[in-house]
Amino acid sequence: MILSIDSSAQTASAALTEGEKVIKSEFINAGLTHSETLLPMIKRVMQGKDISTLDAIAITAGPGSFTGVRIGVATAKGLAFKNDIPCISVSTLEAIAYNFISEDCIVCAVMDARRMQFYNALFEIKDGKCNRLCEDRAISIEELREEIRTYDKVVVAGDGAKLCYENIKLDNVCLADEEKLYQNAVSIAKAAQSKEKIPAAKLLPIYLRQSQAERELKNKNLKLRRNEK
């Protein structure tokens, strides 16, 4: 039995699954208020079951919103530490791809990284299996355009999908249907089946680049060092 959690972007979700059976799941798209919504959502999907009865807690550890990723990872670690439960780290981009596990297609999972850059990975879904074609990365729209133009058909999904689709301007690219557009906890549970369980202490957020505050501090320090010279 696995509790799966996502708060890595604008949406948030939680699901309780046993094997391929979904016991209960919830999904909301109400903006970045995960500190208020995540724990009550978890409580509802657990339906009175004790956290200690879980075999694992799966979490999208990134990439995504810095705040959202931190909230999700901290929540998973807190629940796991308290009850001595292993964790499963799932890429947010891979969770998006698992929305299409019943189709044969190329999935271009994209999350908005601002300034026309995207957190991205490509996946081939075939015969019910998800095959990763590249590592998670931060990539510009121009670089992504050149890469995916070589495929026959590509489905774009994720919170950056609409922006990507409107600007990439390729005939072989289509936008995912609304119900498959965002990562959700049920897809996280599917992805988690092939992942190793790790101790809560080893669960870490995955950031593909520094936060804006960190970048500004780095630039400020560089300027100070230049002035000192």
Side-chain angles (χ1 to χ4, degrees):
M1 193 159 60
I2 296 176
L3 171 66
S4 299
I5 307 167
D6 171 67
S7 63
S8 59
Q10 180 176 337
T11 61
S13 58
L16 181 64
T17 59
E18 189 167 11
E20 295 185 359
K21 179 185 177 182
V22 180
I23 299 171
K24 186 173 176 61
S25 67
E26 286 196 15
F27 174 93
I28 59 169
N29 188 358
L32 294 172
T33 57
H34 305 323
S35 59
E36 301 172 5
T37 59
L38 196 57
L39 281 173
M41 188 186 301
I42 290 169
K43 185 177 180 180
R44 289 193 296 271
V45 301
M46 287 298 295
Q47 295 180 306
K49 296 179 177 64
D50 197 278
I51 295 290
S52 62
T53 63
L54 293 171
D55 295 300
I57 298 174
I59 177 71
T60 42
S65 154
F66 287 88
T67 301
V69 167
R70 282 195 293 266
I71 289 171
V73 169
T75 300
K77 287 171 76 77
L79 294 172
F81 269 130
K82 183 179 179 181
N83 298 278
D84 195 25
I85 298 169
C87 294
I88 302 173
S89 176
V90 176
S91 159
T92 311
L93 298 167
E94 188 171 353
I96 294 168
Y98 267 84
N99 288 347
F100 304 87
I101 199 66
S102 61
E103 305 176 27
D104 285 356
C105 60
I106 300 294
V107 178
C108 176
V110 287
M111 303 183 74
D112 187 4
R114 311 302 178 193
R115 299 178 182 177
M116 291 310 293
Q117 283 199 330
F118 299 91
Y119 300 129
N120 164 257
L122 301 175
F123 302 86
E124 181 184 32
I125 311 297
K126 190 171 184 179
D127 299 330
K129 295 183 179 179
C130 179
N131 300 307
R132 178 181 283 274
L133 300 179
C134 66
E135 295 302 311
D136 292 357
R137 60 201 176 169
I139 191 170
S140 70
I141 189 77
E142 292 82 11
E143 292 172 309
L144 186 58
R145 182 185 297 114
E146 289 305 308
E147 188 166 341
I148 66 175
R149 68 165 67 247
T150 60
Y151 295 100
D152 290 334
K153 183 180 178 182
V154 179
V155 180
V156 181
D159 72 5
K162 292 178 181 178
L163 179 64
C164 179
Y165 177 72
E166 290 168 359
N167 288 276
I168 207 156
K169 301 185 187 306
L170 290 174
D171 293 336
N172 64 326
V173 174
C174 66
L175 183 65
D177 294 336
E178 190 71 27
E179 66 269 19
K180 294 184 178 181
L181 197 59
Y182 302 105
Q183 67 276 13
N184 65 78
V186 174
S187 291
I188 296 164
K190 292 176 182 177
Q193 296 294 328
S194 61
K195 308 293 182 187
E196 68 171 330
K197 296 175 183 178
I198 59 175
K202 291 188 176 181
L203 179 64
L204 297 171
I206 299 168
Y207 302 131
L208 296 183
R209 67 181 191 187
Q210 293 177 313
S211 68
Q212 182 177 347
E214 289 171 326
R215 293 195 301 272
E216 289 176 353
L217 179 60
K218 182 179 179 180
N219 290 335
K220 182 179 179 181
N221 289 336
L222 285 172
K223 290 178 181 177
L224 286 173
R225 284 198 289 270
R226 289 195 193 105
N227 292 335
E228 288 173 356
K229 292 178 182 179

